[in-house]
Amino acid sequence: MSNNKYDAIVIGSGFGGSMTAYQLVRAGMRVLMLERGDWVQRGPENWGLRGSIDLTPHYDKSSPLRVVAGGNKKVMGLYSCVGGPSVFYGGVSFRFRERDFEPEKEITAGSGAEWPFRYRDLEPYYTAAENLLNISGETGVDPTEPPRGAPLPQGPAPLAGISREVKSAAEQLGLRPFQLPLAINYDDKNRNGCVQCTTCDTYACAISAKNDLSVMVLAGLIERGLTLKANTVVTRLHAEKGRIQTVECISRETGERLQFESDVVVLAAGALASPQLLLASGLQDLNPGGHVIGRYLMRHVNAIIFGIFPGQADKENRFHKQLAILDYYFGHPGTPFGKLGSLQQMPTPPRGLVQNAVPGLLGKLLSQGVPLLTGLLAIAEDQPQYDNHLRIDPDQKDRFGLPQAVISHHYSKRDLAALDVLAGEAKKILKKAGALTHYVHHIRTFSHAVGTVRMGADPATSALDEYCRFRGIDNLYVVDGSFMPTSAALNPSLTISANALRVGEKIATN
Ligand SMILES: Cc1cc2nc3c(=O)[nH]c(=O)nc-3n(C[C@H](O)[C@H](O)[C@H](O)COP(=O)(O)OP(=O)(O)OC[C@H]3O[C@@H](n4cnc5c(N)ncnc54)[C@H](O)[C@@H]3O)c2cc1C
Ligand code: SF4
C-alpha cells in the first residue's frame, strides 16, 4: 500500500468529520484527516483581549467568502482550526425535538425539504454523542424534551446568582426554565474542571475544561492511529468512473501540492466550504440533484436581547450561560405560528470584546456600561429557501486556487416575524428580572449555517441519500451541517454529531 493510500479520507475536523472518523478508526480503518486550520495553543492569551475567535488567526481570511446579501460583513473568513469552531463554541448541545424531523408546511413551504429518518432513528446516536462530549445538563423539566435512552453523563452545575434571578422571573411568568445542556467539564477529576470564567462562548478555554473535539475526540483518535494533517487545504476532489479517485490539497506549511487516495471520502468541511469544494470540483454534473448544491442555505434567525439593569447585573462576575426556555418552541397562543424557537441565557459580554468591536474612546466608554447587561438569545427556525445560496465565482481564485464562494441570503417574512414574537417574550422575562429597559443585538453571522447539500428521499431535489451518500458518486459522503433539510430552532452541533456517528457506523459496516 502506498503512503498516500488510505481506507478513508475525512476532510475537516469539526463535528461531522470528527464523529465520522471516530466510527471509522474504531472499526480498524486506516484514516487520514485533512484540516485546513492549525491546532489552537492553550494559555492565558485564550482569555485575553484578542482571544475571541474573530480576532485570532483561526478566523482564516485566506479563502475570503463574498457576501452579496445577508451577513455582517461583505467579505467573510472561515473558522479554521483542529476541532473546527467547537474549540471556540458555546458548548450548547441540544437534541432536536421529535417534531423537528417531521417539519410542517409552515416551515418547509414549497421547498420539498423532508428528513428521510425520524428522531427515534437518531436517538441512540444522540446518546453516544452526549457521552463522547460528556454533556452536562438537566432533564425532566422541559416540556418539549424528546424521549431519551440514557441520562446525560453529567448533572448541571450550580446556578449563578443572576441565573437564579432570571429563572425565578421566568417561573413567575408561568414558564418552565431548565439548565442548558453544555459540553463543559464539571465532574471529571482527571481533567481541569470549569472555573466558571466569563469568557467561554467565542473563546477557546485556556485550561481545556470545555469539552471541544480536539480534547474529547481527536486526541484519542490520534492515539488509536488516526493520521491528522493540520494546515492542509483540500482544493479538489477528482471523480472518475463514478468514484472519487484522488483528493488534492496544499500544505500551508510547505506550499507543496499533495494527492491522496482512499476507498471512501468523507467531506465535512462545513456548510459553506463543502458546497464550495463540490462545485469547484464540478461534481454537481454527476448528481441528479446537483442543481440544489449550495442552495437552501439556512442559518437561524438570532438576536440577543440584553436587559439593561440598574446596577451590575452579574454581581459575582461569573459564567452564567446556564438557562433555556422552550415553552414557545411549538408556538405561542395568540400568534399564527405553530413553531417559534428557543430562548437561551446569554451572559454579560466581556468588556474586551466591546472594546475590540468598537475601537477607540467610544469603545472604552461603551465598555463601562457592559456590566449592566445580561441577556437572552432568541433562536427562531428559518425556512429553507431555494434562493438563499452559495455559488462559486470561477474568475476569482484564492491563493490555493479555490474559486471564491459567493453567498446571498435573505430572511423570509415569516422568519423575521417569528423572531419578533420570541424577542418580545425575552423582553418580558428580563423586565420581570429587574431590567429597566433592553437593547436588541441582531446576530448576522453564518455561525449556524446548514442545509447547502441537503439529504432527502427524492434524488431530483436532494443531493444526498438517507446515509449522506452523494448521489452519482459511490464512495463520497457529506456529513457536516450541509446535510440538514431544515434547521430546527436549536443549536446544530449535537445533531450533526449524532448523524455523523450514524453515517460513520454505516460506512464502517459496509
Ligand atoms: C462562535 C461560535 C459559537 C457556536 N456555539 C455553538 C453552540 O454553543 N452550540 C452549537 O450547537 N453550535 C454552536 N456553533 C455552531 C457550530 O460550531 C457549527 O454548527 C458546527 O461546528 C458545524 O459543524 P460541521 O461539522 O458542519 O463543520 P465545522 O465544525 O465548521 O468543521 C468544518 C471543518 O472543516 C475545515 N475545512 C474547511 N474547508 C476545508 C478545506 N478546504 N480543507 C480542509 N479542511 C477544511 C474547517 O477548518 C473546519 O475545521 C457555534 C459556532 C461559532 C462560530
Ligand atoms: S466557562 Fe469554564 S469551560 Fe468555559 S472557558 Fe471558562 S473555564 Fe473554560
Side-chain angles (χ1 to χ4, degrees):
M1 191 188 284
S2 107
N3 271 346
N4 284 0
K5 174 94 172 69
Y6 291 82
D7 295 330
I9 293 174
V10 176
I11 303 165
S13 64
F15 287 98
S18 294
M19 293 295 179
T20 309
Y22 175 82
Q23 298 285 40
L24 305 186
V25 170
R26 272 175 25 121
M29 291 171 73
R30 190 165 174 261
V31 181
L32 169 67
M33 181 176 272
L34 301 169
E35 166 55 56
R36 68 174 289 149
D38 202 350
W39 288 90
V40 178
Q41 300 304 316
R42 305 304 169 110
E45 65 281 4
N46 299 130
W47 287 336
L49 272 181
R50 299 198 65 79
S52 185
I53 185 166
D54 282 20
L55 304 169
T56 72
H58 303 289
Y59 183 63
D60 179 358
K61 297 179 194 142
S62 59
S63 296
L65 294 94
R66 197 158 88 227
V67 184
V68 293
N72 61 341
K73 296 174 183 163
K74 290 199 168 136
V75 179
M76 248 175 31
L78 280 171
Y79 297 125
S80 295
C81 60
V82 173
S86 79
V87 178
F88 294 87
Y89 83 148
V92 176
S93 305
F94 268 110
R95 295 175 175 215
F96 283 3
R97 280 29 204 162
E98 283 175 287
R99 275 169 57 190
D100 287 327
F101 295 87
E102 300 169 64
E104 283 147 36
K105 285 211 177 68
E106 178 187 344
I107 297 292
T108 59
S111 67
E114 44 157 11
W115 286 77
F117 55 83
R118 294 289 173 257
Y119 172 80
R120 61 178 171 275
D121 301 311
L122 206 54
E123 198 288 327
Y125 304 98
Y126 271 128
T127 298
E130 286 167 349
N131 285 329
L132 275 170
L133 295 169
N134 198 20
I135 305 300
S136 108
E138 183 181 24
T139 54
V141 182
D142 167 35
T144 70
E145 188 180 322
R148 50 169 52 253
L152 283 171
Q154 291 188 92
L159 286 179
I162 181 65
S163 302
R164 289 198 298 276
E165 285 167 34
V166 173
K167 181 171 188 238
S168 160
E171 283 170 347
Q172 287 173 54
L173 292 169
L175 304 172
R176 287 154 291 186
F178 63 100
Q179 283 194 240
L180 276 170
L182 290 172
I184 290 183
N185 182 38
Y186 297 110
D187 289 356
D188 183 350
K189 303 289 179 244
N190 296 316
R191 293 173 47 212
N192 283 331
C194 174
V195 295
Q196 308 199 320
C197 75
T198 50
T199 43
C200 196
D201 195 352
T202 81
Y203 291 79
C205 181
I207 56 169
S208 296
K210 195 187 286 184
N211 299 341
D212 68 56
L213 294 164
S214 71
V215 173
M216 302 302 285
V217 180
L218 292 169
L221 291 186
I222 291 168
E223 273 175 25
R224 291 183 76 142
L226 171 75
T227 304
L228 195 159
K229 283 192 187 294
N231 293 309
T232 307
V233 181
V234 175
T235 51
R236 202 175 171 93
L237 311 178
H238 289 281
E240 221 180 282
K241 298 182 188 152
R243 295 178 70 76
I244 300 297
Q245 304 288 349
T246 51
V247 173
E248 197 176 291
C249 47
I250 296 185
S251 161
R252 299 175 85 160
E253 282 158 349
T254 62
E256 203 184 347
R257 284 191 178 272
L258 306 163
Q259 281 205 344
F260 296 99
E261 293 170 33
S262 62
D263 297 331
V264 174
V265 176
V266 176
L267 179 56
L272 302 179
S274 282
Q276 178 189 20
L277 205 45
L278 292 169
L279 295 171
S281 305
L283 301 185
Q284 69 278 14
D285 298 337
L286 306 176
N287 189 313
H291 65 103
V292 301
I293 295 171
R295 295 202 169 266
Y296 299 112
L297 168 63
M298 293 164 279
R299 56 176 174 141
H300 288 148
V301 213
N302 298 333
I304 305 172
I305 299 84
F306 281 115
I308 305 177
F309 287 73
Q312 186 172 349
D314 164 27
K315 296 187 182 56
E316 301 161 307
N317 208 16
R318 158 179 175 191
F319 175 81
H320 58 278
K321 187 180 169 101
Q322 294 186 297
L323 297 172
I325 299 164
L326 265 64
D327 295 78
Y328 302 117
Y329 198 77
F330 293 115
H332 186 298
T335 72
F337 301 108
K339 202 167 187 203
L340 277 176
S342 55
L343 293 176
Q344 301 175 14
Q345 207 179 1
M346 204 66 190
T348 308
R351 268 191 194 184
L353 201 59
V354 178
Q355 276 176 34
N356 273 307
V358 188
L361 189 62
L362 182 62
K364 282 211 172 99
L365 285 174
L366 283 177
S367 71
Q368 298 307 311
V370 160
L372 306 181
L373 309 179
T374 193
L376 288 168
L377 166 68
I379 302 183
E381 181 158 6
D382 53 336
Q383 294 181 301
Q385 300 180 72
Y386 184 80
D387 285 345
N388 287 339
H389 69 271
L390 176 150
R391 64 178 174 82
I392 53 166
D393 179 353
D395 297 328
Q396 294 289 330
K397 297 235 167 97
D398 67 17
R399 67 176 76 155
F400 310 109
L402 269 169
Q404 186 171 45
V406 183
I407 296 173
S408 175
H409 184 278
H410 293 277
Y411 287 118
S412 71
K413 276 190 185 152
R414 189 209 178 274
D415 297 342
L416 297 170
L419 178 66
D420 266 1
V421 178
L422 267 180
E425 295 310 315
K427 288 172 197 166
K428 287 185 203 162
I429 298 165
L430 292 165
K431 188 171 176 203
K432 191 86 189 162
L436 298 175
T437 182
H438 58 262
Y439 158 72
V440 179
H441 171 72
H442 288 273
I443 299 180
R444 301 185 204 279
T445 66
F446 285 86
S447 57
H448 283 193
V450 294
T452 45
V453 194
R454 71 183 186 180
M455 57 154 55
D458 181 358
T461 60
S462 48
L464 306 179
D465 74 9
E466 62 169 316
Y467 280 102
C468 292
R469 190 197 294 258
F470 188 88
R471 291 195 167 96
I473 301 190
D474 277 355
N475 64 342
L476 176 62
Y477 295 78
V478 183
V479 297
D480 52 53
S482 315
F483 83 90
M484 285 191 189
T486 56
S487 69
L490 289 164
N491 325 54
S493 65
L494 197 76
T495 301
I496 298 171
S497 300
N499 179 61
L501 289 171
R502 183 184 76 95
V503 173
E505 183 182 78
K506 178 77 175 169
I507 298 172
T509 50
N510 264 351

